[in-house]
Amino acid sequence: MNKSDDKHLWVSWDEYHRIIEKLVLNVHASGWQFDQVLCLARGGLRPGDVFSRIFDVPLAILSTSSYREDAGTVRSELDIGKHITMSRGALAGRVLVVDDLVDSGVTLDKVLHHLKENYAPVTEVKSAVIWWKACSSLKPDYYVDYLPTNPWIHQPFEEYDSLRPHQLEAWSRKGVSR
């Protein structure tokens, strides 16, 4: 694995799982009780799943996307999905919005406004992210690491951003693992 510095933060799978657990413990220690987790896909999917399982609350998913070009390294216009996906019921009560990071703050800000304007049954919303970058216009309610130098975060699943099925198939036949 590459070495982290002020411009790049490299995260292994083990570190990634541990830091999600730290975020869970931060929220737990606050004493705030929530009824549902709303994860922002894609970065918030894994942390949201962990929160839903550990706190034993329903998981809702809202698709958002702003980093699409050049294997997810270039920010574009923010897209927010029309619908929130849930297995049953509707989004209501106290909701914890979970994402991997707050970078510019645009996604989190727009999602919070979207919830306020379109989901009247939601009575309270708080946010939880793993990384809070200094360049963000918004401070999350819960976070694990504050990043004053705004590094690019290299998360372990990013290796899949440029991997295509034919490459995986070829490596698999050769017995090569990522």
Side-chain angles (χ1 to χ4, degrees), residues 14-27 50-51 54 130 144:
D14 285 342
E15 292 166 328
Y16 183 69
H17 290 121
R18 276 194 305 274
I19 202 164
I20 291 171
E21 291 166 355
K22 283 182 183 177
L23 184 59
V24 165
L25 292 174
N26 286 353
V27 173
V50 171
F51 269 86
I54 291 175
I130 299 169
V144 176

Side-chain angles (χ1 to χ4, degrees), residues 6-46:
D6 284 349
K7 293 185 182 190
H8 296 274
L9 176 61
W10 296 89
V11 183
S12 70
W13 278 110
D14 285 342
E15 292 166 328
Y16 183 69
H17 290 121
R18 276 194 305 274
I19 202 164
I20 291 171
E21 291 166 355
K22 283 182 183 177
L23 184 59
V24 165
L25 292 174
N26 286 353
V27 173
H28 175 69
S30 78
W32 188 62
Q33 301 288 311
F34 52 94
D35 304 304
Q36 295 175 314
V37 170
L38 174 63
C39 69
L40 304 185
R42 295 186 307 188
L45 282 170
R46 288 171 181 89

Side-chain angles (χ1 to χ4, degrees), residues 24-155:
V24 165
L25 292 174
N26 286 353
V27 173
H28 175 69
S30 78
W32 188 62
Q33 301 288 311
F34 52 94
D35 304 304
Q36 295 175 314
V37 170
L38 174 63
C39 69
L40 304 185
R42 295 186 307 188
L45 282 170
R46 288 171 181 89
D49 177 59
V50 171
F51 269 86
S52 175
R53 291 171 188 272
I54 291 175
F55 286 98
D56 194 25
V57 296
L59 177 66
I61 302 168
L62 177 61
S63 289
T64 61
S65 178
S66 60
Y67 285 92
R68 290 180 295 277
E69 283 81 31
D70 203 15
T73 61
V74 177
R75 185 175 23 216
S76 305
E77 197 66 30
L78 175 65
D79 291 326
I80 296 177
K82 265 189 181 175
H83 304 284
I84 292 176
T85 302
M86 300 177 62
S87 58
R88 61 185 153 99
L91 196 66
R94 295 176 312 269
V95 176
L96 181 65
V97 175
V98 177
D99 204 357
D100 55 350
L101 62 98
V102 62
D103 188 356
S104 67
V106 170
T107 300
L108 187 55
D109 185 51
K110 288 191 176 184
V111 166
L112 295 176
H113 286 329
H114 178 74
L115 293 175
K116 188 180 286 187
E117 292 173 9
N118 299 293
Y119 293 89
V122 173
T123 58
E124 188 177 4
V125 178
K126 291 193 178 188
S127 58
V129 301
I130 299 169
W131 298 284
W132 169 34
K133 290 187 177 185
C135 62
S136 174
S137 61
L138 197 65
K139 180 181 179 182
D141 295 292
Y142 306 100
Y143 63 93
V144 176
D145 285 338
Y146 174 71
L147 303 173
T149 62
N150 305 305
W152 183 261
I153 302 167
H154 300 273
Q155 298 186 56

